Amino acid sequence: MVDDNRRGDDERGPGAAYQMFVVMEDLLDKLKLLDYEEEVLAKHNMKALSRHYFASSAYMPSNPGEQFFMFTIIASWLINAAGRPFEQPQEYDDPNATVSNILSQLRAFGGLVDFPPSKLKAGSGEHVCYVLDRLAEEALKERVFSWRRPNYPTEEMEEESVMEDDAELTLSKVEEEMTEEPDDCEEENVMDLEALKSRTNQSEARLSSKPDNILESNMDAAEWNLEVERVLPQLKVTIRTDHKDWRIHVDQMHQHKDGIKSSLKEAKGYLDKLQEEIGKTLEKVGSREKYINNQLEHLIQDYRSAQSKLSEARECYQQGSGGVTERTRVLAEITEELEKVKQEMEEKGSSMSDGAPVVKIKQSLTKLKQEIVQMDIRIGVVEHTLLQAKLKEKSNMTRDMHATNIPEPAIGAY
């Protein structure tokens, strides 16, 4: 049986051992939907169940007695909630009878019971979680409950909280940073246009006043040219371009397009060479594959025939294992009935071999004899009293008969 269980776990997969934890979490959600805190826990003064209460594991503390009692209480409550009357089991009831009654109710709901009832006596494990989960589903159906898709709340992102990624800077921002960082040499040579404008305004204000005489220049032309050559570097004016102008963007797009074309030519050459090498490699692999297939064709046929035989053997094994499972379940039920019969026979045998009833009967007989003796004594006393009364009455009658004069009270008496 242990080997069969291991084979079943291997066929289901490596995660089958942890499936009970998922079922237990779903079961706890269903119990909360059915309001088991008030209807079960508050009524019996019990603690709330943990997420993995009925899941058995070597790394989790377990109390089989407490878990089995909790299992029976919740199962009976779920059966009643599903619309079927079921008496709540007590703490000192027979566990075999309780488990058999719960499984019979589960079969009545249409549940599949392909495991022995002794699996539920531990109070935890995969089968306990399955039974409770199935009963919880029936209770939810009785209360006309349906699962719906969750409605997630929409969260509006604030503009201030959105952080811009450094890798996604816009072209305009890059241009702005480039234009906002002029060279130091240009700052030294560039004249301040605002100051120049203010000076020209002041000079115009001064010239607006009409002079008295006509101004004549007495400056030498050679000196003027020298002064112009000296001041010419400081008269350089740079007009900063607007980074939001679409013409700048178009020029930059053309520059990037030319760079992409130039890099694409080089990359295309490398890709063509790589394509040729990959094609040659694929041709070699195809030829090798054909050669291997021709060489291993008879082995492949043998493998296919062996695989078909294996599938047939698996089908036979599944059919046989299904029959074995059913017979194992029947054997478990018969074993439980046999245990019940043995227990009843032991109780009757112990009651038959017990000498307490015989002692009680002897004591009762002794007490009865004592009471009979007392009754005989009382009967003798009563008979003696009656005899004395009769003798006294007879003596009175005889005396009255021999008396010559009958007194008046005596005459009235007769």
Side-chain angles (χ1 to χ4, degrees):
M1 293 300 294
V2 176
D3 295 337
D4 294 339
N5 293 330
R6 289 177 179 174
R7 289 174 184 173
D9 293 338
D10 294 338
E11 291 179 357
R12 288 188 298 172
Y18 305 98
Q19 182 65 24
M20 70 179 100
F21 295 93
V22 180
V23 176
M24 179 60 205
E25 292 182 359
D26 294 339
L27 171 63
L28 188 59
D29 293 336
K30 294 175 183 177
L31 292 178
K32 289 180 179 179
L33 291 174
L34 293 170
D35 197 10
Y36 87 110
E37 291 94 345
E38 296 182 359
E39 297 185 9
V40 179
L41 300 182
K43 184 178 179 181
H44 297 277
N45 195 13
M46 295 179 176
K47 295 181 180 179
L49 300 180
S50 61
R51 294 173 58 198
H52 304 142
Y53 182 79
F54 289 113
S56 62
S57 176
Y59 303 99
M60 296 173 59
S62 61
N63 189 355
E66 179 185 351
Q67 289 175 338
F68 181 75
F69 180 66
M70 182 68 78
F71 162 69
T72 55
I73 292 295
I74 294 176
S76 63
W77 172 67
L78 290 174
I79 292 170
N80 290 320
R84 287 183 176 271
F86 190 82
E87 186 178 358
Q88 181 178 347
Q90 301 299 324
E91 187 175 359
Y92 298 102
D93 290 347
D94 186 11
N96 297 321
T98 304
V99 169
S100 61
N101 293 332
I102 292 172
L103 290 180
S104 64
Q105 293 292 334
L106 182 61
R107 293 191 187 95
F109 285 123
L112 179 61
V113 182
D114 55 354
F115 55 87
S118 59
K119 294 286 187 180
L120 302 179
K121 292 182 182 179
S124 62
E126 179 182 0
H127 306 289
V128 173
C129 296
Y130 164 72
V131 172
L132 292 178
D133 184 69
R134 190 70 175 79
L135 294 175
E137 289 181 358
E138 295 297 331
L140 290 174
K141 289 180 182 178
E142 181 68 19
R143 296 189 180 182
V144 194
F145 178 81
S146 61
W147 296 96
R148 298 178 181 177
R149 292 184 177 181
N151 295 325
Y152 298 103
T154 57
E155 297 181 357
E156 296 181 357
M157 299 296 293
E158 297 181 358
E159 296 181 358
E160 296 180 357
S161 62
V162 178
M163 301 298 292
E164 294 183 355
D165 192 0
D166 294 338
E168 296 180 357
L169 292 174
T170 58
L171 184 61
S172 61
K173 189 172 182 179
V174 175
E175 293 174 355
E176 184 179 356
E177 292 178 355
M178 292 175 66
T179 55
E180 288 180 356
E181 294 179 357
D183 296 334
D184 296 337
C185 60
E186 291 180 358
E187 290 181 354
E188 294 177 356
N189 298 326
V190 174
M191 294 181 65
D192 191 358
L193 295 178
E194 296 294 334
L196 183 61
K197 187 176 180 181
S198 62
R199 290 177 183 176
T200 53
N201 291 331
Q202 291 176 0
S203 61
E204 288 177 358
R206 292 175 182 175
L207 293 175
S208 60
S209 61
K210 294 181 180 180
D212 296 335
N213 298 321
I214 297 174
L215 297 177
E216 293 180 1
S217 177
N218 54 3
M219 180 66 67
D220 188 5
E223 293 180 359
W224 177 261
N225 289 329
L226 291 174
E227 185 67 20
V228 169
E229 289 179 359
R230 185 182 67 81
V231 182
L232 184 61
Q234 297 180 1
L235 296 177
K236 183 179 179 182
V237 178
T238 59
I239 300 174
R240 296 178 181 177
T241 58
D242 189 5
H243 62 278
K244 294 182 180 179
D245 190 4
W246 62 272
R247 297 179 182 82
I248 298 173
H249 294 291
V250 171
D251 294 336
Q252 290 180 353
M253 289 170 65
H254 286 298
Q255 291 177 3
H256 293 310
K257 183 179 179 181
D258 296 335
I260 290 171
K261 285 183 178 179
S262 61
S263 60
L264 180 61
K265 291 180 180 179
E266 298 178 358
K268 189 175 181 181
Y270 293 119
L271 291 174
D272 291 337
K273 292 181 181 178
L274 184 60
Q275 184 180 4
E276 292 178 358
E277 293 177 357
I278 291 173
K280 292 178 182 179
T281 307
L282 287 175
E283 290 179 357
K284 291 180 181 179
V285 171
S287 62
R288 293 287 180 87
E289 186 177 357
K290 291 180 181 179
Y291 175 74
I292 291 171
N293 289 331
N294 293 327
Q295 294 292 327
L296 302 178
E297 186 176 2
H298 63 284
L299 296 176
I300 293 172
Q301 292 179 357
D302 295 339
Y303 173 73
R304 288 175 180 174
S305 61
Q307 193 173 8
S308 62
K309 291 179 181 179
L310 178 61
S311 61
E312 293 176 357
R314 283 183 178 176
E315 291 179 358
C316 295
Y317 171 73
Q318 290 179 357
Q319 294 177 359
S321 63
V324 170
T325 304
E326 183 67 22
R327 289 178 176 80
T328 304
R329 185 181 62 79
V330 174
L331 177 62
E333 294 178 356
I334 294 172
T335 305
E336 289 182 358
E337 293 178 358
L338 181 62
E339 289 179 357
K340 291 181 181 179
V341 173
K342 285 182 179 180
Q343 188 175 359
E344 292 177 358
M345 289 178 64
E346 288 178 358
E347 291 178 356
K348 290 181 180 181
S350 61
S351 62
M352 291 175 64
S353 61
D354 193 4
V358 178
V359 174
K360 290 181 180 180
I361 292 171
K362 288 182 179 180
Q363 292 177 358
S364 300
L365 289 174
T366 304
K367 188 176 182 180
L368 185 61
K369 286 179 181 181
Q370 292 176 0
E371 291 179 355
I372 290 170
V373 171
Q374 292 178 1
M375 289 296 293
D376 291 337
I377 293 171
R378 290 180 181 180
I379 290 170
V381 171
V382 171
E383 288 179 353
H384 181 68
T385 305
L386 290 173
L387 181 60
Q388 285 183 356
K390 287 181 180 180
L391 289 175
K392 187 176 181 180
E393 185 179 0
K394 188 176 182 181
S395 62
N396 292 331
M397 290 177 66
T398 304
R399 186 184 63 186
D400 293 337
M401 289 176 62
H402 291 289
T404 56
N405 296 323
I406 300 172
E408 291 179 359
I411 294 171
Y414 287 107

